[in-house]
Amino acid sequence: MTTRTTSAPARPAAPDLDIAHAAALPGAAVLAALGVTPDGLAAGQVAERSARYGPNAVSSHRARLVPVLWHQLRSPLLVLLMVAAIASYFVGERSDAVIIGVIVAVSVGLGFVNEYRAEKAAEALHTQIRHETVVRRDGHAVRVDVTALVPGDVVELKLGDVVPADVRLLSVTGLECDESVLTGESLPLEKDTSAVPESTALAELSGCALMGTVVHAGSATGVVVSTGARTGFGAIAAGLGTHQLDTEFQVGLRKFSMLLVYVAGALTTSIFAVNVVLHKPILDALLFSLAIAVGITPQLLPAVVSTSLAAGSRRMSRRKVLVKRLVCIEDLGNVDVLFTDKTGTLTLGRIDYMRAVPAGGGDAGEVLRWGLLCTENTGSVGGNPLDQALWGSPASVAQRTALAGYTTLGVLPFDHERRMVSVVAGDPAGHTLLVTKGAPETVLDRCTGVPPGARQALDAEFAAGNRVVAVAMRPFTGGKPPVPADEQGLVLLGFLVFLDPPKHDAARSLRRLAELGIAVKVVTGDNSAVAAKVCHDLGLGDGAALAGADLDGLDDTQLADAITRTTVFARVSPEQKARIVRVQRIGGGGVAFLGDGVNDALALHAADVGISVDSATDVAKDAADVILLEKDLDVLADGVTEGRRIFANTIKYVLMGTFSNFGNMFSAAGASLFLTFLPMLPSQILLNNLLYDTSQLAIPTDTVDEEQLRRPSHWDIGFIRRFMVFFGPLSSVFDFVTFGVMLWVFHSGPDQFRSGWFVESLATQTLVIFAIRTRRIPFFRSHPSLPLTLGALGVVTVGALLPATPLASALGFSPLPGGFFAALAGMVLGYLALIEAGKRVFYRMVRTTTTAPRLASPRRHLRRRAAYFSTAHPTGHAGTPSQRGLR
């Protein structure tokens, strides 16, 4: 027998339809234009469109050799230096030119290797993270990575989802979208399926859901119209101009580096002019000035920051903290307010059914039986934790048998507005009943004739810290499924009481967070009395509690004031959680939210740092920036500590580089005024800088003093500028002492003078790290890490030995007398003592100054959201030139 198969007629390829045009067409017309049915695309269509449009991404996390190398070479000062070195080679100064070239090459290679390793670490980290969405393909609903979407895909949206592309809506159920990331409008926009005029503004496309926005309420189905950089969100993200999502700290570093470049440009121009006026060879003067400029510029800043973050991500992974992007580590260190749920964080999260409390002298078994009947997922492992505890309790076994003859006729699911679930059931006698179960406050409001003593019994359970669910019922008529209006005229049967005891180590974890300067506030859907009791037992304080119903009566200014006095936010909806977080962010500082449920997704998106756990719902994990592999506040404290440690070590490099280099500028300028020769050859300056930078690469391994971890640290360019101006001249003092020693004590010629200043300059600017790295007394009250100690001492040793090696002649050095090293030891000790004295004066002066809190940045949140749509591969391809610019 032979069978014949026929293939479906080929559907047309998707046209280049933009969202504004699609919004003006009926949904059916958009489907036709995209060549797709409500059942979604076929596999062949997906492959064809994927090849044509590329990934649905706006950024790339791929480590690429050429861009990293270009990052090292793009310094204009470095280019000028190489040009001048090449010129000197052709005019006869060949040995100096070759030495300069080799030193520059080694310096660039050092930065390249470290930055590329960090980029590879970021790429490896990114491959662990997946963001998925539900899409219909070949008539089946499947979960796919958001970057795999193509125009024509039919997607399903639900509460808490980030809209994965520009979507024309086909059906909606109470859909509202938070579009603040695009429009700045804080209120969610209601959506429908109606067409709008084609000239309608992006913020008013009510028939569309836009990429990067968040589903605030309801659900919907829609068809993807535009992906990647062709979306409105993608165009904005492309305008940010970089595939790396920088923190405010990194932006500040970049700005400060440019400030140093401008200062270096002005001073090195002056140094060049002075040397020319003093009739020194023009080429030598130019090379000397350029070498000074290169030495001043903090070239290794990107490598130090990247290396610190990459090493930090590995340490945090060992501590059971997974960050989705390296820059999240710094964000985590900046946190000073943490909003967290109660269940599983402060409590064990193991809910146990305790007892049934009947109302008005009824039967406890009857309360339990009707509570068992009123479940959305009877006995389901994936159901509500309270239902799971109820069905799994020994007391339920006998009552489940009694329910064998009941039939479920309809269900009104739980939602966070009603905080109830209702079931219509038929009993064996043919009667139809409506059984309602939910938050006691809302159930009691819908009951008639609440028995005397019921509210007192409820208050007693809450005061004991127990979780309580109320059960009520009434006869039900009509064959329609239940609606919220049916949940009236109920008769209270009683209460089901559950226990979720506090964690034995939660109090210690809360104390540790307090020591880190983090205010912990509980945001829960539970009763305020229960939450307050748990917080009191754990020593979190007796701060005021604010209920969701009261929160709605406050404007943002009043709410901001209330947050400072409130420890517990109870009976709050997902929208209220997000509003609390947004209002706190407006006041500045770093705000984190820890949650694991669908109802936490909006608040996770709103926070500076969204934190979830490995056991959380997919929606919550998608919304989070940081995933805790254990739901433990101790693990979170580890992550915060690591973020602050990285920040502190990066600041050490910044402070080291700024004041040492600032002092060297003045030393070089001053020496040029009275010396008849160059105080140091260009190649010697570059070699000095290379050795110094090599020692600084160990800074990320350094230990950090406890007091630096106790509070968030924010980028403060004013502090660094004051530090540079205060300590820079102190650095120059000992350079000038060295000049005097070499000229008037040892009567040195040019080669020996340069050798002496080379060794002294390298020793002082390298060893001063031991003083700068701490506000304490170094070595006695603060111990550096072993790699940093060995690196600094090793570089100083190499520098001291160079003038006595066979390389000395080629490098322009000559041997130094033994007496010089005795003088050097005295100068180094005197220098460190002077810096220690200067530290006391400086930190006493700046102690009274305060840093303004970092304000919320809309662009920063847009960059966070852009990371949701990123790949570990280049996002550009032949068919989409606009995406090639995002690489």
Side-chain angles (χ1 to χ4, degrees):
M1 186 172 111
T2 304
T3 60
R4 174 183 293 178
T5 59
T6 59
S7 59
R11 295 171 179 169
D16 291 324
L17 186 68
D18 61 55
I19 194 67
H21 185 202
L25 298 174
V30 176
L31 288 173
L34 291 170
V36 65
T37 71
D39 288 335
L41 296 170
Q45 288 178 295
V46 173
E48 183 272 326
R49 296 184 190 196
S50 180
R52 178 180 177 185
Y53 293 102
N56 177 38
V58 298
S59 62
S60 167
H61 285 261
R62 187 185 183 193
R64 286 157 291 156
L65 290 168
V66 174
V68 174
L69 181 59
W70 170 245
H71 191 259
Q72 303 298 318
L73 296 173
R74 66 183 181 182
S75 167
L77 294 174
L78 199 64
V79 174
L80 284 174
L81 182 64
M82 290 305 300
V83 169
I86 292 170
S88 66
Y89 179 85
F90 287 105
V91 298
E93 303 290 338
R94 296 188 174 183
S95 59
D96 284 350
V98 170
I99 291 172
I100 291 172
V102 170
I103 293 172
V104 168
V106 172
S107 179
V108 168
L110 187 66
F112 168 77
V113 169
N114 280 278
E115 189 167 346
Y116 185 71
R117 286 177 59 193
E119 288 283 321
K120 291 295 289 184
E123 180 182 333
L125 181 66
H126 185 73
T127 59
Q128 301 177 47
I129 307 301
R130 290 179 60 85
H131 296 288
E132 295 183 331
T133 189
V134 177
V135 61
R136 295 179 188 171
R137 289 180 176 172
D138 288 319
H140 302 288
V142 295
R143 297 189 66 86
V144 301
D145 195 282
V146 294
T147 61
L149 288 182
V150 295
D153 264 326
V154 176
V155 296
E156 298 178 5
L157 304 175
K158 58 184 182 299
L159 175 68
D161 281 352
V162 175
V163 179
D166 279 355
V167 174
R168 177 64 170 93
L169 298 172
L170 303 176
S171 65
V172 301
T173 304
L175 183 68
E176 296 179 2
C177 289
D178 177 354
E179 299 184 343
S180 58
V181 72
L182 287 178
T183 66
E185 175 57 54
S186 60
L187 295 177
L189 182 67
E190 293 184 6
K191 298 292 184 177
D192 54 40
T193 59
S194 303
V196 297
E198 192 163 346
S199 58
T200 302
L202 190 70
E204 299 174 3
L205 298 181
S206 58
C208 301
L210 304 176
M211 183 186 203
T213 64
V214 179
V215 177
H216 182 269
S219 59
T221 300
V223 60
V224 173
V225 175
S226 302
T227 58
R230 290 172 296 277
T231 64
F233 177 86
I236 296 173
L240 297 177
T242 174
H243 76 278
Q244 177 134 356
L245 306 176
D246 296 336
T247 61
E248 297 297 323
F249 175 64
Q250 289 172 302
V251 172
L253 284 179
R254 196 159 51 243
K255 291 179 179 177
F256 192 71
S257 297
M258 289 308 301
L259 171 64
L260 286 182
V261 169
Y262 295 143
V263 172
L267 289 181
T268 51
T269 300
S270 303
I271 292 173
F272 173 71
V274 168
N275 279 278
V276 171
V277 169
L278 295 177
H279 305 292
K280 295 171 185 174
I282 291 179
L283 189 58
D284 287 350
L286 176 62
L287 284 169
F288 175 75
S289 302
L290 290 174
I292 287 288
V294 170
I296 292 167
T297 307
Q299 299 172 72
L300 279 190
L301 259 184
V304 168
V305 173
S306 299
T307 302
S308 295
L309 292 175
S313 72
R314 291 191 291 270
R315 282 190 295 270
M316 291 179 76
S317 179
R318 289 195 293 269
R319 294 183 177 190
K320 301 182 180 180
V321 180
L322 175 64
V323 293
K324 291 186 176 181
R325 306 184 313 281
L326 291 180
V327 295
C328 294
I329 299 173
E330 286 177 0
D331 288 334
L332 196 56
N334 286 336
V335 167
D336 50 22
V337 177
L338 170 67
F339 294 99
T340 178
D341 62 354
K342 175 176 65 70
T343 304
T345 306
L346 303 181
T347 65
L348 290 176
R350 189 191 68 240
I351 300 174
D352 296 321
Y353 169 70
M354 296 174 62
R355 61 182 175 272
V357 178
D363 178 35
E366 183 183 12
V367 178
L368 175 57
R369 182 166 64 253
W370 293 117
L372 288 168
L373 179 65
C374 186
T375 58
E376 295 179 72
N377 298 289
T378 304
S380 171
V381 174
N384 183 288
L386 294 173
D387 285 345
Q388 292 181 40
L390 196 62
W391 277 86
S393 66
S396 71
V397 176
Q399 299 300 331
R400 277 185 287 178
T401 303
L403 293 174
Y406 286 82
T407 305
T408 300
L409 303 176
V411 177
L412 181 58
F414 178 91
D415 66 49
H416 296 284
E417 296 294 331
R418 294 166 35 253
R419 299 202 298 276
M420 296 184 297
V421 56
S422 292
V423 170
V424 174
D427 66 12
H431 302 117
T432 305
L433 305 169
L434 176 73
V435 185
T436 299
K437 181 176 68 178
E441 300 93 332
T442 56
V443 173
L444 263 63
D445 287 344
R446 290 161 173 78
C447 290
T448 58
V450 176
R455 294 187 185 274
Q456 290 82 349
L458 177 63
D459 291 340
E461 296 294 348
F462 282 155
N466 297 327
R467 299 186 67 173
V468 183
V469 172
V471 182
M473 65 178 297
R474 73 171 178 85
F476 186 80
T477 58
K480 297 185 298 183
V483 296
D486 294 326
E487 296 172 323
Q488 300 292 338
L490 302 171
V491 176
L492 180 66
L493 298 176
F495 307 107
L496 300 173
V497 182
F498 300 84
L499 176 66
D500 185 13
K503 284 185 175 180
H504 67 278
D505 59 350
R508 178 177 58 82
S509 299
L510 289 170
R511 286 195 299 271
R512 187 179 173 198
L513 288 172
E515 290 168 357
L516 291 172
I518 298 175
V520 179
K521 299 179 184 294
V522 177
V523 183
T524 178
D526 208 343
N527 177 271
S528 59
V530 176
K533 174 69 164 56
V534 171
C535 291
H536 174 78
D537 291 347
L538 294 175
L540 191 53
D542 298 316
L546 185 65
D550 300 325
L551 187 150
D552 287 335
L554 304 177
D555 61 26
D556 285 355
T557 302
Q558 293 170 324
L559 178 57
D561 182 59
I563 289 173
T564 62
R565 306 187 308 270
T566 304
T567 303
V568 175
F569 299 86
R571 295 298 193 208
V572 287
S573 67
E575 294 81 5
Q576 290 170 331
K577 291 181 182 181
R579 183 185 172 213
I580 291 169
V581 172
R582 278 196 297 266
V583 169
Q584 178 63 32
R585 284 185 62 242
I586 293 173
V591 180
F593 184 90
L594 171 59
D596 62 359
V598 172
N599 58 325
D600 295 318
L602 297 178
L604 288 166
H605 286 304
D608 289 312
V609 185
I611 306 168
S612 194
V613 294
D614 194 41
S615 58
T617 62
D618 289 339
V619 171
K621 286 194 286 188
D622 272 356
D625 304 294
V626 176
I627 305 294
L628 306 182
L629 301 184
E630 285 185 7
K631 194 171 186 180
D632 187 342
L633 291 180
D634 248 355
V635 174
L636 176 59
D638 288 340
V640 171
T641 301
E642 187 62 33
R644 294 182 183 177
R645 196 189 67 79
I646 290 171
F647 186 99
N649 281 337
T650 307
I651 285 292
K652 290 175 188 177
Y653 178 84
V654 174
L655 297 180
M656 278 283 294
T658 50
F659 99 84
S660 292
N661 292 338
F662 196 63
N664 287 342
M665 282 193 296
F666 285 108
S667 300
S672 299
L673 291 176
F674 65 85
L675 290 177
T676 58
F677 53 86
L678 292 177
M680 203 183 293
L681 297 177
S683 59
Q684 294 168 346
I685 293 174
L686 295 174
L687 179 60
N688 185 297
N689 187 55
L690 174 63
L691 291 172
Y692 166 77
D693 279 344
T694 301
S695 71
Q696 303 307 293
L697 285 176
I699 285 180
T701 70
D702 193 25
T703 56
V704 175
D705 295 339
E706 183 181 348
E707 59 267 24
Q708 291 181 276
L709 303 176
R710 287 179 183 162
R711 62 188 183 279
S713 298
H714 303 296
W715 172 254
D716 185 355
I717 194 170
F719 170 83
I720 295 173
R721 188 186 297 114
R722 291 192 296 273
F723 191 96
M724 178 179 71
V725 172
F726 183 88
F727 284 100
L730 297 184
S731 174
S732 294
V733 167
F734 283 86
D735 286 336
F736 286 114
V737 170
T738 301
F739 297 161
V741 169
M742 299 308 297
L743 291 174
W744 300 322
V745 176
F746 297 112
H747 308 289
S748 302
D751 286 353
Q752 193 176 77
F753 179 94
R754 292 163 182 157
S755 301
W757 188 29
F758 177 91
V759 173
E760 180 272 335
S761 173
L762 183 62
T764 52
Q765 73 173 344
T766 301
L767 295 177
V768 77
I769 181 61
F770 298 122
I772 297 303
R773 59 172 295 276
T774 178
R775 296 190 183 191
R776 301 177 177 180
I777 300 173
F779 295 107
F780 294 99
R781 296 188 59 235
S782 179
H783 302 285
S785 69
L786 182 61
L788 181 63
T789 303
L790 295 178
L793 295 178
V795 162
V796 171
T797 302
V798 170
L801 294 177
L802 269 177
T805 66
L807 293 174
S809 177
L811 294 171
F813 293 134
S814 65
L816 292 165
F820 168 80
F821 292 100
L824 175 65
M827 287 188 289
V828 168
L829 291 176
Y831 179 52
L832 295 180
L834 180 62
I835 295 299
E836 278 299 309
K839 276 166 51 178
R840 294 180 180 272
V841 175
F842 177 78
Y843 287 120
R844 194 178 301 121
M845 290 191 308
V846 301
R847 189 177 299 161
T848 58
T849 64
T850 57
T851 302
R854 177 178 50 79
L855 299 179
S857 166
R859 172 167 288 194
R860 183 168 174 270
H861 252 50
L862 192 143
R863 288 177 180 272
R864 276 189 58 209
R865 192 65 50 78
Y868 192 91
F869 305 98
S870 57
T871 67
H873 307 285
T875 59
H877 52 85
T880 53
S882 62
Q883 285 189 323
R884 287 199 297 271
L886 294 171
R887 291 188 178 189

